[in-house]
Amino acid sequence: MAVSEGLAIGALAQRTGLAVSAIRYYEAQGLISPWRNAGGQRRYQRADIRRLSFVMIAQQFGLTLPEIREVLSGLPGNRTPTPKDWKDISVSLRSHLDQRIDTLMRLRDNLDGCIGCGCLSLPKCALYNPDDRAKSHGSGPRYLLGDAPEA
Amino acid sequence: MAVSEGLAIGALAQRTGLAVSAIRYYEAQGLISPWRNAGGQRRYQRADIRRLSFVMIAQQFGLTLPEIREVLSGLPGNRTPTPKDWKDISVSLRSHLDQRIDTLMRLRDNLDGCIGCGCLSLPKCALYNPDDRAKSHGSGPRYLLGDAPEA
DNA sequence: TCTTGACCTAAAGTTAGGTTTAGAAATTAC
DNA sequence: GTAATTTCTAAACCTAACTTTAGGTCAAGA
């Protein structure tokens, strides 16, 4: 009845297009912090719509959830974020994106070198810079040796 | 003793830097096809070093294993690939990479629009083009609504 | 020959990012 | 007031790309 009892999780899901289960999962990952009503149900602020939108955008950019949590920590905790607050963290998002683009372009240049010589030998290829992680994620060690195949 | 009994899996692992378990896994995924010696152990050709190098490079570019299998199918099956063969499929790899870079740059432009207005509203943002999949993978539906948050 | 060390298979475990299921409690609608 | 939704928690399941484990076999060297 009161004007601001907050949004139920289903309503937030509708507004953002996320699944209810995903929103709960994001909470478990520390990306969003609803309060609980008398009955123990989650209630969200309107500003959380924007917060989740930001999460989705950052995901499109290839950030992991921990990385997104990190970026979101740049928002003020004590008040509703202003447009300027959002703008600031969007800028930090943009620098992430710039880095990814840079990396890919360097990989491309390296590949071009390889195509030029036709040898596909590791010392000359992109792979020889294993720290260039264009790869999304994945577990386990994948170390590289600089080994030139001899045929 | 014979000159070409082929490489054992451990030797191939050393030459490529891959784990033995990963090489077996790639075989299960149809990326490489060793033969077996009398004792049932896997034996590889020297050209397989290059083949696995290619797999690793393609992974850096963000291709999935099925995609890589697809690209590798462009190699001749009946003979050892020549430098020209490798060059040809490297070119196909490059076009994959170009696409990814394109997508990211478009996302960046969209984000810049958002930063400019400071609103982070979905209709104007990158996310409003959910088909731009810069995202690596991930399961489940993540549909988007064009919904402008009103605070 | 005997003993390492490398290799074999099959199955289970791992991480990220979620979804699905089950059974119960809270809300909403009529 | 009762029925239909929604929400709750916990745990299991899912895919990709592997690794680890368990129990057994093969190969190389002293």
Side-chain angles (χ1 to χ4, degrees):
Chain A
M1 272 198 180
V3 163
S4 54
E5 283 183 10
L7 293 155
I9 195 168
L12 185 58
Q14 281 210 327
R15 303 302 293 272
T16 58
L18 286 166
V20 165
S21 59
I23 299 178
R24 290 203 195 97
Y25 179 73
Y26 291 160
E27 179 180 351
Q29 303 310 303
L31 297 178
I32 192 167
S33 304
W35 71 92
R36 302 294 181 122
N37 73 356
Q41 297 193 351
R42 293 170 178 82
R43 293 303 175 226
Y44 299 87
Q45 304 172 3
R46 283 187 171 289
D48 287 334
I49 297 170
R50 186 164 292 179
R51 191 179 180 92
L52 289 184
S53 299
F54 183 86
V55 170
M56 296 163 89
I57 292 172
Q59 277 194 305
Q60 293 267 347
F61 288 3
L63 277 78
T64 63
L65 296 187
E67 284 168 344
I68 297 172
R69 181 177 48 202
E70 183 62 25
V71 174
L72 280 174
S73 73
L75 286 178
N78 50 338
R79 58 177 167 73
T80 299
T82 64
K84 163 111 173 43
D85 293 326
W86 286 115
K87 181 171 171 175
D88 288 347
I89 70 169
S90 293
V91 167
S92 114
L93 194 58
R94 150 118 205 198
S95 85
H96 268 270
L97 187 52
D98 284 343
Q99 275 189 18
R100 290 176 61 77
I101 291 176
D102 260 29
T103 297
L104 282 180
M105 303 227 288
R106 250 175 326 112
L107 281 175
R108 179 168 64 185
D109 289 347
N110 284 340
L111 179 62
D112 284 345
C114 271
I115 291 178
C117 73
C119 73
L120 207 82
S121 76
L122 289 183
K124 300 184 187 178
C125 269
L127 251 201
Y128 201 58
N129 299 307
D131 291 337
D132 283 351
R133 301 179 57 78
K135 296 189 295 189
S136 36
H137 56 267
S139 56
R142 289 196 211 90
Y143 62 98
L144 285 319
L145 280 171
D147 175 54
E150 56 255 46
Chain B
M1 269 203 183
V3 164
S4 54
E5 284 184 10
L7 293 156
I9 196 169
L12 184 58
Q14 281 210 326
R15 303 303 292 272
T16 57
L18 286 166
V20 165
S21 59
I23 298 177
R24 290 203 196 96
Y25 179 73
Y26 291 160
E27 179 180 350
Q29 302 310 303
L31 296 178
I32 192 167
S33 305
W35 71 92
R36 302 295 180 120
N37 73 358
Q41 298 192 351
R42 293 169 177 84
R43 294 302 174 225
Y44 300 87
Q45 304 173 1
R46 283 188 170 288
D48 286 334
I49 298 171
R50 186 164 291 180
R51 191 178 180 92
L52 289 185
S53 298
F54 183 85
V55 170
M56 297 164 89
I57 292 172
Q59 277 194 305
Q60 293 267 349
F61 289 3
L63 278 77
T64 63
L65 296 186
E67 284 167 344
I68 297 172
R69 182 177 49 203
E70 182 63 25
V71 174
L72 279 175
S73 74
L75 286 177
N78 50 338
R79 57 177 167 74
T80 298
T82 63
K84 163 111 173 40
D85 292 325
W86 286 115
K87 180 171 171 174
D88 288 348
I89 70 169
S90 294
V91 167
S92 113
L93 195 56
R94 151 117 205 198
S95 83
H96 268 271
L97 187 52
D98 284 343
Q99 275 188 19
R100 290 174 61 76
I101 291 176
D102 258 31
T103 297
L104 282 180
M105 304 229 285
R106 254 178 319 116
L107 281 176
R108 179 167 65 185
D109 290 346
N110 285 339
L111 178 61
D112 283 347
C114 272
I115 292 179
C117 72
C119 72
L120 208 81
S121 78
L122 288 182
K124 299 185 186 177
C125 269
L127 253 200
Y128 201 59
N129 299 307
D131 291 337
D132 282 351
R133 301 180 56 78
K135 297 189 295 187
S136 35
H137 54 266
S139 55
R142 288 193 212 93
Y143 61 98
L144 285 319
L145 280 173
D147 174 54
E150 55 257 45

